Each structure stands twice: as C-alpha cells, then as structure tokens.
C-alpha cells in the first residue's frame, strides 16, 4: 500500500528479513510497518536487557477489546523462554507463569522477530516497524464498535472484508488477496489481519489518523532502545 488503499497488494515471504527486503524500505525514509508479533520481550527481575516480568501493554490492549476478543492477546513469553528448549518451564522459572499453547506454537516466529529487531536497531528499525493488533484496528475502523463474528468463520471473513471495503480498500483487491489463501500456509483471516494492519499504518503515515498506543506506561527493552507497546490508529 503506497499511494492509496487501492494499491494494496499481498506480499508473501518465508521470514521477516525477506519480507522487509520486499518492502524496499530504502525507497521511503518515513515507512511505517505494523506487525502482529511481540516486539520487545520481558526478561524478569534479573534480566540483562530489561527487568520487566510482564508487558503492561498486553494487559492494556485487552482492556480495549470486548470480552470475546480479549483472548486474542496472550501474555508474551520471556526472552529466556523464547530461546529455551523447554519454553513453558523456563518461563515459569523466570516469572512464575506457564505459557499457553498459543504462545508456544509461535515461539519460533517470536524469536525470528526478536533477532531481526536486535540486528536492525542500529539502523533505526524501531522507528519503522511497530507492534500492532488486528482486532483492535478492525474495531477502530468499525466505528470503535466490537465485531460480531469470530475471524475464522465465514461470517467473520465477510464482516472484516466489508470493514476494509468501507475503509477504502476496493472489493476486487480484497478478493484478489483472499484468492492466495492456502491450507496450512496462509489463511483468509491472516490475510485480512495483514490488510488491516497495512491500512492502519497507511492512515497514520499519511496523516489521516493519529497513531495511538495502548499503554501510557513506558517500558523498554534492549537497555532503553526498543519500546514495548502496541500501536494502532
């Protein structure tokens, strides 16, 4: 999405490094990318990069979502757990909390994002890529009203597609993107989640909407270089 929502296109990449290359950030100094993955990981009271036992932004994001959608925000694993062969046990040892199955399933991707952010901090990645949450942005584009249907149902796909259409992404563009859905690879709801994050980032970078943060509290990772918060529009 560059000049307008009508230019939205789906980019598929095996990892975040290759995706970043496809986005060609060198072409646009003020590029803003939202991703639905934790950026910044707590390390507990004895941590080296931070001493946070949990991320306040996770709890604050839940407060902005209706009861049925709060479970879409899970507790972010500690960095030690993310690099451990026994993540849930390690997380419990650090912060006395075990991990949900959802958290454990995406640990490889969390680790991938963490390594990418750390490697690119010297180049200002923290000002170009930020964490966001699809359900929160869908709610905002829906007049700040809670969505009715679960995103994985047919009704949920239709509901979210209509919200994107009303926010200026043409129906034909949405249909084209959804045609790339593949079982066990990329699902329709994942495609729509990516679309709403792109739309939110576009609206912010274009000055149409103001960037908001779920948490007023300031938590940082990597010795103050990387903010742990969740942005939305």
């Amino acid at each position: 999405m560059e000049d307008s929502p009508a230019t939205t296109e789906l980019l598929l990449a095996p990892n975040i490094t290759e995706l970043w290359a496809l986005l060609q950030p060198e072409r646009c100094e003020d590029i803003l990318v939202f991703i639905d993955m934790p950026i910044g990981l707590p390390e507990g009271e004895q941590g080296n990069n931070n001493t946070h036992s949990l991320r306040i932004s996770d709890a604050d994001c839940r407060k902005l979502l209706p009861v049925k959608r709060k479970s879409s925000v899970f507790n972010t694993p500690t960095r030690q757990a993310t690099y451990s062969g026994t993540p849930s046990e390690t997380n419990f040892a650090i912060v006395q909390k075990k991990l949900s199955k959802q958290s454990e399933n995406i640990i490889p991707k969390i680790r991938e994002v963490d390594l990418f952010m750390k490697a690119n901090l010297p180049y200002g990645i923290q000002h170009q890529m930020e964490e966001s949450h699809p359900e929160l942005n869908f709610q905002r584009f829906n007049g700040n009203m809670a969505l009715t249907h679960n995103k994985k149902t047919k009704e949920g796909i239709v509901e979210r597609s209509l919200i994107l259409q009303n926010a200026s992404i043409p129906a034909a563009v949405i249909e084209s993107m959804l045609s790339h859905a593949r079982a066990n690879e990329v699902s329709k709801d994942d495609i729509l989640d990516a679309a709403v994050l792109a739309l939110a980032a576009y609206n912010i970078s274009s000055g149409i909407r103001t960037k908001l943060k779920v948490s007023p509290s300031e938590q940082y990772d990597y010795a103050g270089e990387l903010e742990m918060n969740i942005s939305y529009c």
Side-chain angles (χ1 to χ4, degrees), residues 149-161:
H149 303 288
N150 183 291
K151 69 176 187 176
K152 293 194 176 290
T153 64
K154 290 182 180 180
E155 295 83 0
I157 297 297
V158 171
E159 182 179 29
R160 285 158 180 76
S161 296

Side-chain angles (χ1 to χ4, degrees), residues 40-228:
L41 306 176
E43 293 189 355
E45 294 180 357
Q46 304 301 317
N48 295 319
N49 297 293
N50 66 73
T51 55
H52 304 302
S53 294
L54 54 79
R55 302 193 331 162
I56 297 173
S57 56
D58 293 338
D60 286 342
C61 188
R62 288 190 199 98
K63 293 175 185 177
L64 297 173
L65 293 168
V67 174
K68 290 183 179 180
R69 302 286 176 259
K70 292 185 187 297
S71 62
S72 65
V73 184
F74 55 89
N75 289 323
T76 301
T78 60
R79 178 165 286 114
Q80 296 92 321
T82 303
Y83 290 85
S84 169
T86 54
S88 191
E89 291 81 356
T90 300
N91 205 73
F92 187 82
I94 301 296
V95 294
Q96 291 70 59
K97 287 183 181 293
K98 288 196 172 184
L99 298 176
S100 67
K101 204 65 180 174
Q102 181 188 23
S103 295
E104 285 199 71
N105 287 341
I106 64 169
I107 273 182
K109 286 298 180 184
I110 294 175
R111 184 168 58 244
E112 180 184 308
V113 169
D114 187 49
L115 290 169
F116 173 83
M117 295 300 294
K118 181 180 180 181
N120 286 281
L121 281 173
Y123 310 107
I125 189 67
Q126 64 271 41
H127 306 300
Q128 299 173 307
M129 182 176 289
E130 298 181 17
E131 179 181 350
S132 191
H133 194 277
E135 284 295 303
L136 184 53
N137 284 291
F138 270 121
Q139 184 173 296
R140 293 287 293 173
F141 282 115
N142 196 39
N144 214 27
M145 294 175 59
L147 277 66
T148 304
H149 303 288
N150 183 291
K151 69 176 187 176
K152 293 194 176 290
T153 64
K154 290 182 180 180
E155 295 83 0
I157 297 297
V158 171
E159 182 179 29
R160 285 158 180 76
S161 296
L162 287 174
I163 291 171
L164 293 175
Q165 286 180 48
N166 290 335
S168 299
I169 299 183
V173 171
I174 296 171
E175 184 178 345
S176 174
M177 290 192 296
L178 291 177
S179 70
H180 291 277
R182 298 289 184 273
N184 301 320
E185 291 183 25
V186 57
S187 63
K188 288 185 177 182
D189 60 283
D190 285 337
I191 291 171
L192 295 177
D193 281 352
V196 79
L197 294 188
L199 183 64
Y202 169 80
N203 272 262
I204 292 168
S205 61
S206 300
I208 299 170
R209 292 190 176 216
T210 301
K211 181 167 68 177
L212 304 173
K213 305 248 182 182
V214 300
S215 183
S217 61
E218 294 187 351
Q219 285 187 313
Y220 288 86
D221 192 7
Y222 289 120
E225 288 192 69
L226 187 64
E227 184 179 13
M228 295 195 289

